[in-house]
Amino acid sequence: MSDLSANSSSDSQASAASRGTNRALLSVKKGWSRLLDWFAIQSMMVKSLLVLAAFMIPALGLYSASLLQRQAAVVEQVRQMTAADEAAGATPYAINPKLPIAFGTGSILSFLDGNPVERITVIYKPLMWNVSERVVLIESKGKQYAYYPSDMETKIFSDKAVQAPWGGKIAFVPRADLDSGSIEVLERIDQRFSGARPQSEKDAWKAGVSGLLSATLTVGLIGFLAFQLKGQFKALKFLEPSQVQGSIDDLVGMDDIKAEVAQIKDQYLRRAEYAEYGISKPFNVMFSGPAGTGKTKLASYLAKELNLPILFHSAANLETGFVAGGSNTLSRIVAMAKRRRRCIVFLDEAQDLFMKRGGHRKFDDDTQNMLLAILDGVRTRHEAEIIWIVASNFNSEQMQMDDAMLRRFQMKVDFRMPNRQERAAIIDHYLAQRADKVEQGMDRRHLVEITEGRSPADLETIVNQAGISAVQVGAMIGEDTLMKAAERVLVGNVNANTTKERDRDRRIIAIHEWGHFLVDFELERKRAGGDWIALQSEMKTIKISLKANPRNNALGFVFHKQGANLLKTKSDIEHDVRVLLGGMANEELFFGEDGTTNGAHNDITRVTKLLHHAVGEMGMYRRTRLNFGALSNEGGSASRNLDEETRGIMEAQSERLYSETKQLLLRLKPLTEHLTGKLLDKGEMSLQETLFEIRSFEAACHEFSSRVGMAQRT
């Protein structure tokens, strides 16, 4: 057991050490790669300055080291001479003020060999950086001759003193041990012969300055690079494939889109074979579709599948407001991509780059022109290995795209909202990640229905919000938790305090919201043919509430699911208009025309847009089918270009539909009174509660049922 434990412990330690080494190597590799990325995007002047600084740092360091080494050798020579003098028991000598002092000419060694010498005094002082200052006074013929020997002379002088006859006459005196009179004499000598200092002393300041300059350049260069790299990584940073979390299998219910991406992958991996068939264009891919449909995730997963680094950048950040600001950023991105040769560049939120050029802002056109030049087919072989993915939420039905930009993309992937089966699969996928916290046998069909037209990102947010709510109350994730989370995500935060103590406003809001509901209810009841189960399934309304919704400044709201019909008939549009007008029509029935409120402002705005779409763009209610709305895009807003005929038709149809809505709600006024009382008591009512109250009211009030023509309904 002990051997096994020891082996296991040693193996785990070795494994941990190996992981630590690998992480360290990976960090060094990433840091070096980022440094090269930063260097690649710099201008030639910055590159030259960096190369010069990198060259000067070691050059100055070597120069300083050589000076210090040479000066240290001189110090050692003086130390040896001093040690020899002290060993001989020589007596320190002070400068004799009685003897005149002259500056020696020529070589000190020549003077010593050609003149009688009575005493040689070497006065020294340690200087900064281990350098010694040397003054040699030679007493000869009643004078003192002052010499400042060079470094070479000092070496020869010290070597020859061992055997020369004057070697025993040398005395070494520290400058600090001289008396005040001698120091004054020495200072006068220094002042008189300041230009004749030895080279080692002159080099002292050079060694210090060069060493200090080398250290300053090193610290400055490191600080400059750290500052530059920190700013660069916030905007331009490649992610390695190993840093991408998840895989393409995590994208549930996108089989058709994943098939398109599989084609891109196959074409990239087998580009040589495709080139034999004449398919050799650059890899320019356009992702388009609503927000939250997985464009960014799919791009990252593609990078992981191809084992390519990927750079994420928002095209919105290219619009700096300065001329050439966006094009310069694109140039830096291209430089980084070229250095890596094989990579993916992902530009997100690029809808502005697809709009037609020729706008009022020149920097917009500069950015688009630069991107057009990057995406064209004139590239080197290595540049052709760079995949450019440009993603946008561009809606070609509402905005006209630039033709030149569209021609640059040989691959286009259109993203869409998930259908019913895909929404169910996506919800199941996210719930499966927290399966131990989800109630068993939970019915998810209702959640699937109310999320019609919602993106996968919305579904993920709903499940996450349900998890947050479950944690806060300490319960499992159930159907009620999911529905409350869906309401919070799709409707927004609501509060009851805004209208809680305002009875008048609460009653107006209730009557307004029941007007919307009952107009829709009447049509759906006719379609259901008296089948209340089918009616409950087909109704879009989920909940009616008197709580305020800050998201759209509404004092009450109707929580409903999106319609599944992609195509709307003329009768569908008219029904939508009636439903929108139902709120104001009900207010007028209960409070008179003067009692209508501005709570219908949003409803009226939507009615205006619907009728303009029907009349101005679809040509409905006209003898000719012409889209006058298309003309408004050429030179101004729709309101300025609205012709009198279109305006007249819109007003006439609005009056007709409003009158029909009032007639319908007039017959349902008693039911509205009943439902309003219930809603004021409860604050909010679900569709199931509402239908129960309607059936109960109709069953108890046969007179009402007879008056509205529903006596046979059950």
Side-chain angles (χ1 to χ4, degrees), residues 139-158:
E139 187 176 336
S140 175
K141 300 177 183 180
K143 291 184 179 182
Q144 295 184 95
Y145 294 88
Y147 281 91
Y148 289 87
S150 65
D151 298 337
M152 184 177 294
E153 283 183 310
T154 300
K155 186 177 187 309
I156 298 174
F157 173 79
S158 59

Side-chain angles (χ1 to χ4, degrees), residues 74-95:
V74 175
V75 172
E76 180 63 22
Q77 295 168 9
V78 174
R79 188 190 64 77
Q80 293 176 359
M81 295 169 69
T82 304
D85 185 65
E86 292 176 352
T91 303
Y93 179 82
I95 298 176

